[in-house]
Amino acid sequence: MGADQIRSSLLRQIESSSDEFVRLVSVVVQAMAKELDEASLEAVPPPWAKPKTVAERNRELLLADEQVDRGEYITLANLKKKYKRD
């Protein structure tokens, strides 16, 4: 059954059904639309996310390691304290 046939069948069922059924269909459609919107948002990478080469990723990892060696990091316990306080 194609999309046009399904659409026609649904419209016929809705037109000849009770108000309760129409409300139920409406709730289901709204829930599905919300799920699809959320799923499509998750699939789109954020604007700042750009593809990187292996060399670029390795450079970032080396820089991060150097920061840790210099003590430029925050522990999970300190992070929890910071956000509990704010």
Side-chain angles (χ1 to χ4, degrees):
M1 192 183 270
D4 288 337
Q5 290 174 322
I6 294 171
R7 187 177 295 112
S8 296
S9 173
L10 282 172
L11 288 173
R12 279 193 304 275
Q13 289 176 18
I14 290 170
E15 288 171 356
S16 64
S17 63
S18 67
D19 289 346
E20 283 183 26
F21 181 76
V22 172
R23 285 189 197 96
L24 175 64
V25 169
S26 175
V27 168
V28 171
V29 168
Q30 288 174 7
M32 290 301 299
K34 182 179 178 185
E35 261 188 53
L36 291 173
D37 286 346
E38 289 172 0
S40 66
L41 288 175
E42 291 172 3
V44 176
W48 50 262
K50 296 177 183 157
K52 295 182 182 179
T53 65
V54 172
E56 289 171 325
R57 290 194 307 259
N58 287 342
R59 192 173 323 114
E60 287 180 1
L61 289 171
L62 290 172
L63 288 172
D65 281 343
E66 290 172 7
Q67 287 176 318
V68 169
D69 290 343
R70 291 191 303 263
E72 298 172 4
Y73 60 89
I74 186 167
T75 65
L76 181 58
N78 288 340
L79 188 63
K80 286 179 180 179
K81 285 180 193 174
K82 178 182 177 184
Y83 285 100
K84 233 180 194 178
R85 197 170 13 121
D86 291 344

